Amino acid sequence: ATSRLLVNYPEPYRSQILDYLFKPNFGASLHILKVEIGGDGQTTDGTEPSHMHYALDENYFRGYEWWLMKEAKKRNPNIILMGLPWSFPGWLGKGFNWPYVNLQLTAYYVMTWIVGAKHYHDLDIDYIGIWNERSFDINYIKVLRRMLNYQGLHRVKIIASDNLWEPISASMLLDTELLNVIDVIGAHYPGTRTVRDARLTKKKLWSSEDFSTLNNDVGAGCLGRILNQNYINGYMTATIAWNLVASYYEQLPYGRCGLMTAQEPWSGHYAVEPPIWVAAHTTQFTQPGWYYLKTVGHLEKGGSYVALTDGLGNLTIIVETMSHKHSRCIRPFLPYFNVSHQFATFLLKGSFSEIPELQVWYTRLGKPSKRFLFKQLDSLWLLDSGGAFTLELQEDELFTLTTLTTGGKGSCPPPPESQPFPQVYDDDFDVDYPFFSEAPNFADQTGVFEYFTNIEDPGEHRFTLRQVLNQRPITWAADAYNTISVIGDYKWSNLTVRCDVYIETPEKGGVFIAGRVNKGGVLIRSARGVFFWIFANGTYRVTGDLAGWIIYALGHVDVTAKRWYTLTLIIKVAGRKKRIP
């Protein structure tokens, strides 16, 4: 749920952000986009809606992932698309918090998402995952492959298990059918290392989730180091950064852990952070289908180098000297190593010895006065050197040397200045044909809130925002037991919240509005704040937390289901009183 606020950006800023991410030879020029298959549950920074909230429900226009994939494809038709479930809608579990109760049903559900992507959006999904960072079921993986084949989706490849290298690798070695149906082994945060079993499968190895680090220079250093060393140390030929763009309220978990930051649709402000340009050192000068040469490795005084070719005469060499201090990723622990000033000599042999010229792109992270981000330097001329050249390397540098002349550092006019969330904000949800199913700036944290046109109401409540789930999903995280969507500014203390509300469920139903909510994402269950509740049984209460343990006030009130009420909550910081002796 990390691209939530991106969709609400006004143009031209939204398109500029997308260009920095996806447009070839402009910014990060990404090769692969991995999206969540929304499952109605909390998945780190919010919930994403499922295309099937219940068994007979299908809607391929919910959420923003379809839009995001289309925008990526619009800019780079060759981008690889990948889908992975975190949570699943509750009906698949038949009363259990488990997606493998009915293997055929879950495989069918995932298959419909792939078919819907093609049918409604002309999107070809290339890879499909199993269950993010949770248990895999060997029989489910086999059933999924058969289901895809039966639907003619032979080209869709399976990646497993989006967790650790084991036990999936050992399971594949012990089960020939499983080995045959899995195309890629994907591990999360591998620390640039793999395991023997994974190598023995002879499958492609990917770091299918990595990075997840604050997008300052240290985050950029982390990305620079792992993009090279995931292959050198662990033979991984893809590295997927979580997350694409920090487009969620910064106070949610892992704030600003995206390749760039775009968390202010109300102002239009965004920031192109250093990881964008570190990614460009690899992505702009290689493509899926290129090969790593065997001559890759570590430099004598710290750092590493890789070399890749398209097999048609092009060559790209990427050298990084990221220091320990400036390249620590959020996880796993990074053992100490030293990087110091050095000279590195490269010798091009065979057909590469005839390369006359290499383009040079350079990044130096660290002190602002000495900082360069993706700067093109003078070319290296190799005609008289016998294919040899020497680089002087300091710590925290990145060099790309390449035969490709297509690299580019894109730029746009500066975006508007940063502004806090508007102090006065209202929404009547009066949208006849909404482009997105969710109202702007609302970030669902448990449950799913969607635009709903109430055709039976001729008055002011025709257009509404409705919580649509009627059962708890198969959760990935600790979803709350009460549905909640957050909006606004974390720093607000004196505020008035006013909302028209309607309880649909007689007797047991209820609704609340709240202010000063202090947390969300995977921590939503323990959220504190000021919560004002009314219930269909004719009671009200004011609590200090979402779970309802801290009760400030309670009583009876004339409230029933199936009627509209206006709730108002005024929160003020109490003034300090002087005590007179």
Side-chain angles (χ1 to χ4, degrees), residues 130-145:
I130 307 305
W131 189 14
N132 182 66
E133 293 173 358
R134 297 292 179 264
S135 306
F136 62 89
D137 179 294
I138 289 172
N139 289 324
Y140 168 72
I141 298 172
K142 296 173 184 176
V143 167
L144 178 62
R145 180 72 270 166

Side-chain angles (χ1 to χ4, degrees), residues 469-581:
L469 301 191
N470 56 15
Q471 70 181 115
R472 192 172 173 80
I474 297 169
T475 56
W476 180 81
D479 297 43
Y481 281 96
N482 298 298
T483 58
I484 178 172
S485 190
V486 298
I487 188 171
D489 193 319
Y490 183 79
K491 299 185 183 79
W492 286 341
S493 53
N494 291 330
L495 66 151
T496 300
V497 185
R498 184 175 291 113
C499 187
D500 289 5
V501 299
Y502 183 93
I503 301 169
E504 293 192 58
T505 312
E507 298 303 321
K508 292 182 178 176
V511 66
F512 70 86
I513 59 172
R516 284 202 218 155
V517 177
N518 73 337
K519 61 183 79 165
V522 287
L523 306 172
I524 189 62
R525 275 173 92 146
S526 56
R528 303 280 292 267
V530 182
F531 296 78
F532 172 30
W533 314 68
I534 59 169
F535 299 96
N537 64 5
T539 61
Y540 79 91
R541 62 179 55 189
V542 180
T543 68
D545 64 333
L546 176 61
W549 294 109
I550 304 163
I551 299 174
Y552 295 142
L554 50 81
H556 290 275
V557 66
D558 185 17
V559 165
T560 180
K562 312 282 187 191
R563 280 188 59 189
W564 283 97
Y565 299 94
T566 301
L567 297 188
T568 304
L569 174 62
I570 301 167
I571 305 173
K572 288 184 178 170
V573 176
R576 286 205 177 99
K577 290 178 182 170
K578 274 191 178 173
R579 201 168 159 210
I580 300 167

Side-chain angles (χ1 to χ4, degrees), residues 94-201:
K94 300 194 180 295
F96 295 92
N97 196 37
W98 191 244
Y100 307 128
V101 174
N102 183 329
L103 304 184
Q104 295 285 121
L105 199 59
T106 300
Y108 172 79
Y109 165 80
V110 170
M111 177 275 294
T112 59
W113 185 85
I114 298 170
V115 170
K118 181 65 176 172
H119 185 262
Y120 293 97
H121 303 285
D122 198 25
L123 293 166
D124 289 305
I125 304 300
D126 300 290
Y127 291 88
I128 197 75
I130 307 305
W131 189 14
N132 182 66
E133 293 173 358
R134 297 292 179 264
S135 306
F136 62 89
D137 179 294
I138 289 172
N139 289 324
Y140 168 72
I141 298 172
K142 296 173 184 176
V143 167
L144 178 62
R145 180 72 270 166
R146 286 198 291 272
M147 178 80 69
L148 294 174
N149 290 352
Y150 181 72
Q151 291 292 327
L153 297 168
H154 300 82
R155 61 174 293 284
V156 179
K157 296 181 169 72
I158 290 178
I159 177 168
S161 69
D162 279 291
N163 202 345
L164 305 175
W165 293 117
E166 298 289 18
I168 189 68
S169 301
S171 302
M172 290 166 70
L173 293 174
L174 293 168
D175 185 329
T176 312
E177 187 188 350
L178 184 68
L179 183 72
N180 289 335
V181 300
I182 293 173
D183 299 277
V184 177
I185 305 179
H188 287 195
Y189 306 97
T192 77
R193 303 285 171 181
T194 186
V195 299
R196 185 169 174 269
D197 281 353
R199 297 278 322 277
L200 287 173
T201 65

Side-chain angles (χ1 to χ4, degrees), residues 299-328:
L299 297 166
E300 198 176 308
K301 294 189 176 177
S304 68
Y305 63 96
V306 293
L308 299 101
T309 181
D310 60 355
L312 303 171
N314 281 307
L315 174 69
T316 291
I317 302 166
I318 304 147
V319 183
E320 61 83 21
T321 57
M322 297 303 154
S323 64
H324 183 271
K325 183 180 178 183
H326 293 130
S327 72
R328 274 181 290 193

